Protein backbone atom coordinates (compact mmCIF):
# COMPACT_ATOMS: atom_id res chain seq x y z
CA UNK A 1 0.00 0.00 0.00
CA UNK A 2 2.99 2.31 0.25
CA UNK A 3 3.52 4.80 -2.51
CA UNK A 4 6.63 4.57 -4.65
CA UNK A 5 7.01 8.33 -4.87
CA UNK A 6 6.07 10.32 -1.80
CA UNK A 7 7.25 13.73 -2.92
CA UNK A 8 4.50 16.38 -3.02
CA UNK A 9 2.93 16.74 -6.48
CA UNK A 10 3.48 19.86 -8.61
CA UNK A 11 0.45 22.13 -8.45
CA UNK A 12 -0.93 25.16 -10.26
CA UNK A 13 -3.69 26.47 -8.05
CA UNK A 14 -3.35 30.04 -9.35
CA UNK A 15 -5.41 31.60 -12.15
CA UNK A 16 -3.60 32.85 -15.30
CA UNK A 17 -4.10 36.38 -13.90
CA UNK A 18 -5.57 37.63 -10.60
CA UNK A 19 -9.36 37.41 -10.65
CA UNK A 20 -12.08 39.81 -9.56
CA UNK A 21 -15.28 37.86 -9.16
CA UNK A 22 -18.25 39.57 -10.77
CA UNK A 23 -20.90 37.17 -9.55
CA UNK A 24 -21.43 34.25 -7.19
CA UNK A 25 -24.52 32.14 -7.75
CA UNK A 26 -25.94 29.62 -5.28
CA UNK A 27 -28.27 27.27 -7.09
CA UNK A 28 -30.33 24.53 -5.48
CA UNK A 29 -31.10 21.39 -7.49
CA UNK A 30 -33.69 18.79 -6.62
CA UNK A 31 -32.57 15.24 -7.38
CA UNK A 32 -34.23 11.94 -6.49
CA UNK A 33 -31.99 8.99 -5.67
CA UNK A 34 -32.59 5.82 -7.70
CA UNK A 35 -32.66 3.96 -4.40
CA UNK A 36 -33.18 5.48 -0.94
CA UNK A 37 -29.89 5.52 1.00
CA UNK A 38 -30.09 4.67 4.70
CA UNK A 39 -27.29 5.13 7.25
CA UNK A 40 -27.19 4.90 11.05
CA UNK A 41 -28.42 8.51 11.21
CA UNK A 42 -31.27 8.46 8.72
CA UNK A 43 -32.66 7.86 5.27
CA UNK A 44 -32.21 10.01 2.15
CA UNK A 45 -34.57 9.74 -0.83
CA UNK A 46 -34.59 13.18 -2.36
CA UNK A 47 -31.64 15.53 -2.28
CA UNK A 48 -31.49 19.27 -2.53
CA UNK A 49 -28.00 19.84 -3.89
CA UNK A 50 -26.43 23.30 -3.45
CA UNK A 51 -24.22 24.26 -6.40
CA UNK A 52 -21.90 27.25 -6.50
CA UNK A 53 -21.12 29.05 -9.75
CA UNK A 54 -18.68 31.95 -9.95
CA UNK A 55 -18.05 34.37 -12.80
CA UNK A 56 -15.08 36.58 -13.68
CA UNK A 57 -13.87 38.17 -16.92
CA UNK A 58 -15.63 35.79 -19.28
CA UNK A 59 -14.68 32.77 -17.17
CA UNK A 60 -16.79 30.66 -14.89
CA UNK A 61 -16.26 27.94 -12.34
CA UNK A 62 -18.52 25.33 -10.78
CA UNK A 63 -18.50 23.75 -7.36
CA UNK A 64 -20.86 21.77 -5.15
CA UNK A 65 -21.49 22.23 -1.42
CA UNK A 66 -22.19 18.77 -0.06
CA UNK A 67 -24.53 19.65 2.82
CA UNK A 68 -27.77 17.73 3.36
CA UNK A 69 -31.20 19.06 4.41
CA UNK A 70 -30.68 18.24 8.07
CA UNK A 71 -27.56 18.44 10.29
CA UNK A 72 -27.20 14.66 10.65
CA UNK A 73 -23.78 13.96 9.10
CA UNK A 74 -22.35 17.23 10.40
CA UNK A 75 -23.66 20.58 11.58
CA UNK A 76 -24.15 22.21 8.18
CA UNK A 77 -27.37 22.14 6.15
CA UNK A 78 -28.52 23.37 2.75
CA UNK A 79 -29.98 26.44 4.52
CA UNK A 80 -26.77 27.30 6.38
CA UNK A 81 -24.79 27.00 3.13
CA UNK A 82 -27.15 29.34 1.34
CA UNK A 83 -27.18 31.81 4.24
CA UNK A 84 -23.44 31.95 4.91
CA UNK A 85 -22.42 32.21 1.25
CA UNK A 86 -25.03 34.86 0.50
CA UNK A 87 -24.68 36.96 3.65
CA UNK A 88 -21.02 36.51 4.57
CA UNK A 89 -18.71 34.76 2.11
CA UNK A 90 -19.93 36.33 -1.14
CA UNK A 91 -19.53 39.91 0.17
CA UNK A 92 -16.02 39.06 1.44
CA UNK A 93 -14.90 37.49 -1.85
CA UNK A 94 -16.55 39.85 -4.33
CA UNK A 95 -14.59 42.79 -2.94
CA UNK A 96 -11.14 41.22 -3.47
CA UNK A 97 -8.58 40.36 -6.09
CA UNK A 98 -7.97 36.61 -5.87
CA UNK A 99 -4.93 34.97 -7.42
CA UNK A 100 -5.27 31.41 -6.21
CA UNK A 101 -7.34 28.88 -4.30
CA UNK A 102 -5.17 29.77 -1.30
CA UNK A 103 -6.46 33.36 -1.47
CA UNK A 104 -10.02 32.07 -1.17
CA UNK A 105 -8.97 29.93 1.81
CA UNK A 106 -7.21 32.86 3.48
CA UNK A 107 -10.04 35.31 2.85
CA UNK A 108 -12.55 32.95 4.47
CA UNK A 109 -10.31 31.61 7.22
CA UNK A 110 -11.33 34.18 9.84
CA UNK A 111 -14.91 32.85 9.64
CA UNK A 112 -15.39 29.84 11.89
CA UNK A 113 -16.87 26.61 10.66
CA UNK A 114 -19.03 26.15 7.54
CA UNK A 115 -16.50 23.95 5.72
CA UNK A 116 -18.99 22.71 3.12
CA UNK A 117 -19.96 26.25 2.13
CA UNK A 118 -16.28 27.27 1.96
CA UNK A 119 -15.51 24.19 -0.06
CA UNK A 120 -18.24 24.94 -2.64
CA UNK A 121 -16.46 28.25 -3.30
CA UNK A 122 -12.97 26.71 -3.42
CA UNK A 123 -14.14 24.08 -5.89
CA UNK A 124 -15.66 26.74 -8.11
CA UNK A 125 -12.48 28.83 -7.88
CA UNK A 126 -10.19 25.93 -8.81
CA UNK A 127 -12.43 25.12 -11.77
CA UNK A 128 -12.23 28.75 -12.92
CA UNK A 129 -8.45 28.95 -12.31
CA UNK A 130 -7.84 25.70 -14.19
CA UNK A 131 -9.99 26.91 -17.11
CA UNK A 132 -8.06 30.19 -17.23
CA UNK A 133 -4.88 28.18 -17.86
CA UNK A 134 -6.40 25.54 -20.12
CA UNK A 135 -5.73 22.81 -17.54
CA UNK A 136 -7.94 20.00 -16.26
CA UNK A 137 -8.60 19.89 -12.51
CA UNK A 138 -6.35 16.86 -12.35
CA UNK A 139 -3.46 18.70 -14.01
CA UNK A 140 -4.01 21.72 -11.76
CA UNK A 141 -3.68 19.73 -8.53
CA UNK A 142 -0.91 17.46 -9.80
CA UNK A 143 -2.89 14.24 -10.05
CA UNK A 144 -0.92 11.33 -11.42
CA UNK A 145 -3.56 8.71 -12.24
CA UNK A 146 -5.58 8.61 -15.48
CA UNK A 147 -8.08 6.19 -13.93
CA UNK A 148 -8.97 5.71 -10.28
CA UNK A 149 -10.11 2.56 -8.45
CA UNK A 150 -13.61 2.83 -7.03
CA UNK A 151 -15.91 1.12 -4.57
CA UNK A 152 -19.57 1.41 -3.67
CA UNK A 153 -21.25 2.27 -0.39
CA UNK A 154 -24.40 0.22 0.25
CA UNK A 155 -27.00 1.49 2.71
CA UNK A 156 -29.03 -0.29 5.34
CA UNK A 157 -31.74 -2.35 3.62
CA UNK A 158 -35.08 -3.80 4.67
CA UNK A 159 -33.63 -7.32 4.92
CA UNK A 160 -30.46 -9.31 4.43
CA UNK A 161 -31.36 -11.03 1.12
CA UNK A 162 -31.98 -7.61 -0.45
CA UNK A 163 -28.57 -6.38 0.70
CA UNK A 164 -26.76 -9.54 -0.42
CA UNK A 165 -28.30 -9.20 -3.88
CA UNK A 166 -27.03 -5.61 -4.04
CA UNK A 167 -23.54 -6.75 -3.02
CA UNK A 168 -23.64 -9.43 -5.73
CA UNK A 169 -24.71 -7.02 -8.47
CA UNK A 170 -22.09 -4.40 -7.55
CA UNK A 171 -19.30 -6.99 -7.37
CA UNK A 172 -20.45 -8.15 -10.83
CA UNK A 173 -20.24 -4.55 -12.09
CA UNK A 174 -16.58 -4.51 -11.13
CA UNK A 175 -16.56 -2.36 -7.97
CA UNK A 176 -13.26 -3.02 -6.23
CA UNK A 177 -14.51 -2.56 -2.68
CA UNK A 178 -17.91 -2.96 -1.04
CA UNK A 179 -18.74 -0.81 1.97
CA UNK A 180 -21.70 -1.70 4.16
CA UNK A 181 -23.43 0.81 6.39
CA UNK A 182 -23.84 -0.56 9.91
CA UNK A 183 -25.64 0.41 13.12
CA UNK A 184 -26.51 -1.45 16.33
CA UNK A 185 -28.90 -4.21 15.25
CA UNK A 186 -27.61 -4.20 11.64
CA UNK A 187 -23.99 -5.19 12.00
CA UNK A 188 -22.46 -8.55 12.97
CA UNK A 189 -25.08 -10.74 11.31
CA UNK A 190 -24.98 -8.65 8.15
CA UNK A 191 -21.19 -8.64 7.90
CA UNK A 192 -20.99 -12.37 8.67
CA UNK A 193 -23.48 -13.15 5.88
CA UNK A 194 -21.74 -10.85 3.36
CA UNK A 195 -18.33 -12.33 4.16
CA UNK A 196 -19.65 -15.90 3.93
CA UNK A 197 -21.21 -15.20 0.52
CA UNK A 198 -18.19 -13.24 -0.81
CA UNK A 199 -15.07 -14.60 0.91
CA UNK A 200 -12.53 -12.74 -1.24
CA UNK A 201 -13.88 -9.23 -1.80
CA UNK A 202 -12.47 -6.08 -0.22
CA UNK A 203 -15.14 -5.38 2.38
CA UNK A 204 -15.49 -2.48 4.81
CA UNK A 205 -18.13 -1.06 7.14
CA UNK A 206 -19.16 2.49 8.06
CA UNK A 207 -21.01 3.22 11.31
CA UNK A 208 -21.35 7.00 10.96
CA UNK A 209 -20.67 7.44 14.68
CA UNK A 210 -23.33 4.98 15.88
CA UNK A 211 -21.33 3.32 18.71
CA UNK A 212 -19.57 4.23 21.95
CA UNK A 213 -16.55 2.79 23.76
CA UNK A 214 -19.02 0.64 25.74
CA UNK A 215 -19.49 -1.33 22.51
CA UNK A 216 -15.79 -2.29 22.33
CA UNK A 217 -16.38 -6.03 22.79
CA UNK A 218 -19.17 -6.00 20.24
CA UNK A 219 -16.96 -4.21 17.72
CA UNK A 220 -14.08 -6.62 18.41
CA UNK A 221 -16.29 -9.35 16.96
CA UNK A 222 -15.85 -7.61 13.58
CA UNK A 223 -12.16 -8.62 13.66
CA UNK A 224 -13.27 -12.09 12.53
CA UNK A 225 -14.31 -10.90 9.05
CA UNK A 226 -11.05 -9.59 7.49
CA UNK A 227 -12.47 -6.13 6.93
CA UNK A 228 -10.38 -3.53 5.16
CA UNK A 229 -11.55 -0.99 7.75
CA UNK A 230 -14.21 0.10 10.21
CA UNK A 231 -15.12 3.68 9.33
CA UNK A 232 -16.04 6.22 12.03
CA UNK A 233 -17.37 3.83 14.67
CA UNK A 234 -17.49 6.44 17.47
CA UNK A 235 -18.61 10.05 17.94
CA UNK A 236 -18.34 12.45 15.01
CA UNK A 237 -15.95 14.80 16.80
CA UNK A 238 -13.88 12.25 18.72
CA UNK A 239 -10.20 11.29 18.54
CA UNK A 240 -9.40 9.96 22.03
CA UNK A 241 -12.04 7.22 22.25
CA UNK A 242 -11.01 6.09 18.77
CA UNK A 243 -7.44 5.83 20.02
CA UNK A 244 -8.61 3.46 22.80
CA UNK A 245 -10.76 1.48 20.39
CA UNK A 246 -8.03 1.18 17.74
CA UNK A 247 -5.71 -0.25 20.43
CA UNK A 248 -8.20 -3.01 21.12
CA UNK A 249 -8.97 -3.90 17.49
CA UNK A 250 -6.95 -5.75 14.85
CA UNK A 251 -9.01 -4.17 12.07
CA UNK A 252 -7.93 -0.70 10.93
CA UNK A 253 -10.13 2.21 11.93
CA UNK A 254 -10.69 4.80 9.23
CA UNK A 255 -11.79 8.25 10.33
CA UNK A 256 -14.28 10.29 8.29
CA UNK A 257 -16.39 12.77 10.32
CA UNK A 258 -13.62 13.41 12.91
CA UNK A 259 -11.09 14.67 10.35
CA UNK A 260 -12.19 18.24 9.79
CA UNK A 261 -8.81 19.75 8.83
CA UNK A 262 -5.12 18.91 8.47
CA UNK A 263 -4.44 19.47 12.16
CA UNK A 264 -7.09 16.91 13.12
CA UNK A 265 -5.47 14.44 10.72
CA UNK A 266 -2.05 15.08 12.31
CA UNK A 267 -3.54 14.64 15.79
CA UNK A 268 -5.34 11.42 14.81
CA UNK A 269 -2.12 9.93 13.41
CA UNK A 270 -0.07 11.06 16.42
CA UNK A 271 -2.61 9.50 18.79
CA UNK A 272 -3.08 6.35 16.74
CA UNK A 273 -6.83 6.98 16.52
CA UNK A 274 -6.94 5.54 12.99
CA UNK A 275 -4.73 3.78 10.46
CA UNK A 276 -6.58 5.11 7.43
CA UNK A 277 -8.19 8.40 6.51
CA UNK A 278 -11.07 9.22 4.20
CA UNK A 279 -10.80 12.65 2.57
CA UNK A 280 -13.92 14.58 1.59
CA UNK A 281 -13.19 18.02 0.18
CA UNK A 282 -16.47 19.37 1.59
CA UNK A 283 -15.95 18.03 5.10
CA UNK A 284 -12.52 19.69 5.39
CA UNK A 285 -13.43 23.08 3.88
CA UNK A 286 -11.94 22.82 0.39
CA UNK A 287 -8.88 21.99 -1.64
CA UNK A 288 -6.27 23.64 0.61
CA UNK A 289 -7.12 21.34 3.51
CA UNK A 290 -7.86 18.28 1.35
CA UNK A 291 -4.44 18.59 -0.30
CA UNK A 292 -2.84 19.27 3.08
CA UNK A 293 -4.26 16.03 4.52
CA UNK A 294 -3.24 14.14 1.39
CA UNK A 295 0.34 15.42 1.58
CA UNK A 296 0.61 14.69 5.30
CA UNK A 297 -0.63 11.11 4.84
CA UNK A 298 1.54 10.56 1.76
CA UNK A 299 4.63 11.66 3.66
CA UNK A 300 3.76 9.22 6.46
CA UNK A 301 2.73 6.34 4.20
CA UNK A 302 -0.84 6.40 5.51
CA UNK A 303 -3.25 5.31 2.76
CA UNK A 304 -6.15 7.68 2.00
CA UNK A 305 -9.27 7.34 -0.12
CA UNK A 306 -11.85 9.74 -1.46
CA UNK A 307 -15.19 9.77 0.36
CA UNK A 308 -18.55 10.58 -1.21
CA UNK A 309 -21.57 12.67 -0.22
CA UNK A 310 -24.06 11.50 -2.87
CA UNK A 311 -22.75 14.27 -5.11
CA UNK A 312 -24.13 15.08 -8.51
CA UNK A 313 -21.65 14.94 -11.41
CA UNK A 314 -20.11 18.32 -10.60
CA UNK A 315 -18.98 17.29 -7.13
CA UNK A 316 -17.90 13.90 -8.40
CA UNK A 317 -15.77 15.40 -11.18
CA UNK A 318 -13.88 17.24 -8.42
CA UNK A 319 -13.64 14.00 -6.41
CA UNK A 320 -12.17 12.19 -9.41
CA UNK A 321 -9.47 14.85 -9.75
CA UNK A 322 -8.65 14.59 -6.03
CA UNK A 323 -8.53 10.79 -6.17
CA UNK A 324 -5.96 10.96 -8.99
CA UNK A 325 -3.32 12.13 -6.49
CA UNK A 326 -0.64 9.58 -5.62
CA UNK A 327 -1.69 9.03 -1.99
CA UNK A 328 -5.17 7.77 -2.91
CA UNK A 329 -4.17 4.12 -2.95
CA UNK A 330 -7.54 2.70 -1.81
CA UNK A 331 -10.79 2.63 -3.84
CA UNK A 332 -12.97 5.71 -3.25
CA UNK A 333 -16.74 6.12 -2.79
CA UNK A 334 -17.00 7.44 -6.34
CA UNK A 335 -19.61 5.29 -8.02
CA UNK A 336 -21.28 5.50 -11.44
CA UNK A 337 -23.79 8.32 -12.00
CA UNK A 338 -26.56 5.73 -12.35
CA UNK A 339 -25.88 4.36 -8.88
CA UNK A 340 -27.17 7.67 -7.52
CA UNK A 341 -29.41 9.42 -10.06
CA UNK A 342 -31.35 8.19 -13.09
CA UNK A 343 -30.05 11.25 -14.94
CA UNK A 344 -26.95 13.19 -13.88
CA UNK A 345 -26.27 16.86 -14.64
CA UNK A 346 -23.46 15.99 -17.06
CA UNK A 347 -23.83 15.38 -20.79
CA UNK A 348 -21.77 12.18 -20.33
CA UNK A 349 -22.51 10.26 -17.15
CA UNK A 350 -19.64 8.94 -15.02
CA UNK A 351 -19.21 5.23 -15.72
CA UNK A 352 -17.38 2.42 -13.96
CA UNK A 353 -15.40 0.09 -16.21
CA UNK A 354 -15.47 -3.69 -15.75
CA UNK A 355 -12.13 -3.45 -13.89
CA UNK A 356 -13.68 -1.19 -11.24
CA UNK A 357 -12.01 2.04 -12.31
CA UNK A 358 -13.34 5.41 -13.47
CA UNK A 359 -11.57 7.66 -15.93
CA UNK A 360 -10.42 11.01 -14.53
CA UNK A 361 -11.85 13.70 -16.84
CA UNK A 362 -9.25 15.16 -19.20
CA UNK A 363 -11.09 18.23 -20.54
CA UNK A 364 -10.39 21.75 -19.31
CA UNK A 365 -11.60 22.55 -15.75
CA UNK A 366 -14.17 20.01 -14.54
CA UNK A 367 -13.39 18.19 -17.75
CA UNK A 368 -16.94 17.04 -18.37
CA UNK A 369 -19.64 19.17 -19.91
CA UNK A 370 -22.61 20.25 -17.79
CA UNK A 371 -26.05 19.63 -19.29
CA UNK A 372 -27.36 23.20 -18.91
CA UNK A 373 -30.91 22.49 -20.03
CA UNK A 374 -31.33 19.66 -17.57
CA UNK A 375 -29.66 21.71 -14.85
CA UNK A 376 -32.22 24.50 -15.40
CA UNK A 377 -35.04 21.98 -15.41
CA UNK A 378 -34.18 20.65 -11.92
CA UNK A 379 -33.18 24.00 -10.38
CA UNK A 380 -35.60 24.94 -7.60
CA UNK A 381 -33.89 28.16 -6.52
CA UNK A 382 -31.10 30.41 -7.78
CA UNK A 383 -29.65 33.47 -6.09
CA UNK A 384 -26.88 35.53 -7.61
CA UNK A 385 -24.71 37.95 -5.63
CA UNK A 386 -22.88 40.62 -7.65
CA UNK A 387 -19.90 42.87 -7.07
O1 LIG B 1 -21.40 9.30 -2.44
O2 LIG B 1 -21.26 7.15 -2.68
C1 LIG B 1 -21.49 8.15 -2.01
C2 LIG B 1 -21.93 7.97 -0.57
C3 LIG B 1 -20.85 7.38 0.26
O3 LIG B 1 -21.41 6.34 2.31
C4 LIG B 1 -21.16 7.38 1.73
N1 LIG B 1 -21.15 8.57 2.36
O4 LIG B 1 -20.24 8.64 5.81
O5 LIG B 1 -19.11 8.07 4.10
C5 LIG B 1 -20.17 8.46 4.60
C6 LIG B 1 -21.41 8.71 3.77
C7 LIG B 1 -21.96 10.09 4.01
C8 LIG B 1 -23.23 10.38 3.33
S1 LIG B 1 -24.58 9.59 4.05
C9 LIG B 1 -26.00 10.28 3.42
MG1 LIG C 1 -18.30 7.72 6.23
Amino acid sequence: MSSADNTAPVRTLTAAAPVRLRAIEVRLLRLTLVRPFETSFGRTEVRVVPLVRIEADGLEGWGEAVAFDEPLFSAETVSTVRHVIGDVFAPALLARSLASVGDVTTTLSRFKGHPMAKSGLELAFLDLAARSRGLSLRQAIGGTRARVPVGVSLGIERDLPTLLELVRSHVAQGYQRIKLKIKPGWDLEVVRAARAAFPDILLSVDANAAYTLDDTMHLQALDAFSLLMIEQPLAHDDLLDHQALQRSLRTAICLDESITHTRAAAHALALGSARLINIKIGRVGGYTEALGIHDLCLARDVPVWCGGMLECGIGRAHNLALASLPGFSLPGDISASTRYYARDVLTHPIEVAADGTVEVPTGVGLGIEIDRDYLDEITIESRTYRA
Side-chain angles (χ1 to χ4, degrees), residues 73 179 181 206-208 231-232 256-257 278 280 305 308 333:
F73 174 85
K179 160 167 141 184
K181 290 291 187 178
D206 185 359
N208 288 109
E231 187 177 337
Q232 197 72 37
D256 175 354
E257 285 90 328
N278 146 340
K280 290 176 178 167
W305 55 280
D333 280 345

Side-chain angles (χ1 to χ4, degrees), residues 37 39 41 44 68 73 153 179 181 206 208 231 256-257 278 280 308-311 333 335 339-340:
F37 188 65
T39 68
F41 59 69
T44 311
F68 298 120
F73 174 85
S153 172
K179 160 167 141 184
K181 290 291 187 178
D206 185 359
N208 288 109
E231 187 177 337
D256 175 354
E257 285 90 328
N278 146 340
K280 290 176 178 167
M309 292 291 280
L310 307 174
E311 288 91 344
D333 280 345
S335 306
R339 179 255 177 276
Y340 307 95

Side-chain angles (χ1 to χ4, degrees), residues 73-113:
F73 174 85
S74 64
E76 283 177 283
T77 67
V78 172
S79 302
T80 67
V81 163
R82 186 196 224 177
H83 146 66
V84 80
I85 293 181
D87 295 341
V88 184
F89 297 167
L93 291 170
L94 287 166
R96 279 213 167 56
S97 164
L98 302 163
S100 71
V101 172
D103 287 349
V104 177
T105 315
T106 310
T107 305
L108 301 181
S109 66
R110 68 196 175 94
F111 303 118
K112 308 293 185 290

Side-chain angles (χ1 to χ4, degrees), residues 239 258-271 289 292-293 296 300:
L239 292 179
S258 292
I259 307 301
T260 48
H261 39 65
T262 310
R263 237 177 332 102
H267 292 171
L269 297 181
L271 290 167
E289 290 295 322
I293 296 172
L296 173 82
R300 306 216 183 151

